[in-house]
Amino acid sequence: MASRVVVAVGTKKGLFVFEGRPSAKRLELRGPFFPGQPLNTAMIDRRSKTPKVIAVPSSPWFGTTIQVSNNLGKKFKPTKSAPAFAADDGRTLKNVWSLAPGGDSTDYLCGVEPAALFRSGDGGDTWEKVAGITDHAHARQWNPGNGGLCLHTILRHGDALHLGISTGGHYASRDGEKHFEPENKGVGAGFMPDRFPEFGQCVHKIAAHPDRPERLYMQNHGGFPEDPTLGVLRSDDGGKTWKSIAKGLPSDFGFPIAVHPHQADTVYVVPLEAATRTCPGARPAVWRSENAGEKWHRLTDGLPKKDAWFTVLRDAMDLDDGRRPSVWFGTTTGQLWRGRDGGESFECVATSLPPIHCVKAAVV
């Protein structure tokens, strides 16, 4: 079978799946699945011979389920259970914000709201809390960001598991998830009296490339005129310390950050105006750096030239891993955009979806 690009789009009102040849002008659309139910995360899992599309609808009325498709999003089947806090914990699961692969093809890690981490070793049928972070001494001191108290980034990179929590900051474990330490040196919190606290930062997203185990990128909560260096950061020591790479961007505020699958020093952000959470000057652009954030280039070909107030959320931008990867991003006004050749030229794939929360793309 020829290679196919698959794009899973989680929205406020269900999941949509796009599929087609990587070079195709149009993609087949399936969905909505789980109509009316919001999805903050999805996953395309290629660790086994049969690729899986995994969706996690978290409905205030129907509860949370883990839904698995073995045929690229044509049909879904729920696992036997979803993550849940113990009855005597005092916390109640509100949303699932992230899903990531664990150690082997049946292991998964799941980040939830209120911020906690769960693990499944049997394909999602049973779940247990990862006590090192869920019961961390800081956990009851974290506070919700505007989107809630969410553990939204799970990134196994180098010798560590990295987590992003809003608002908790960046935590890392280097002993097999037994213990987690806050690693936020250089990560600012402009909304707090202490601008550089040990923890409590509103991290928006963390990304990395496997060929650079020492390097990570972060989109942090920036947008403070008195210090425009807090938002877009890079670590060159495995996440222990961070420095600003925001120089040259129109704003250091934004939600997503993503790395090119074949070029470890190529990173993408979508700057937004802090006050409105929309594109600066109502002129949308994806910004790309090909030297790890030292210099940025504005990518706009095919995007609206004016009067476009896009908002792109933290998990709503991804790159597929085809030979000539495309940049995919979705907006809260329901447009799905594709930037071919790493963002050289954009086209609108869908114009009228519900508000888009997450975008996951892969070539299978």
Side-chain angles (χ1 to χ4, degrees), residues 7-18 29-44 53-57 67-69 72-76 353-354 358-360:
V7 186
V9 181
T11 78
K12 186 177 180 180
K13 297 185 178 182
L15 176 79
F16 297 80
V17 178
F18 295 81
L29 169 62
R30 295 189 287 274
F33 300 97
F34 328 111
Q37 299 186 51
L39 290 95
N40 294 315
T41 191
M43 177 181 173
I44 301 173
V53 177
I54 304 172
V56 190
Q67 301 278 347
V68 180
S69 171
L72 299 183
K74 295 181 177 69
K75 292 183 179 180
F76 286 84
L353 298 177
C358 72
V359 175
K360 302 293 181 181

Side-chain angles (χ1 to χ4, degrees), residues 15 61 81 93 125 147 166 173 175 291 307 362:
L15 176 79
W61 297 281
S81 70
L93 188 141
D125 282 334
S166 177
S173 173
D175 62 359
N291 54 7
D307 299 335

Side-chain angles (χ1 to χ4, degrees), residues 23-36:
S23 61
K25 292 295 184 183
R26 289 191 175 186
L27 302 178
E28 177 187 352
L29 169 62
R30 295 189 287 274
F33 300 97
F34 328 111

Side-chain angles (χ1 to χ4, degrees), residues 84-93 112-118 129-131 133-136 139-140:
F85 291 98
D88 60 354
D89 182 271
R91 291 172 287 185
T92 301
L93 188 141
V112 307
E113 176 192 354
L117 185 67
F118 289 84
K129 70 178 180 181
V130 179
I133 191 69
T134 301
D135 296 335
H136 197 284
R140 305 289 176 152

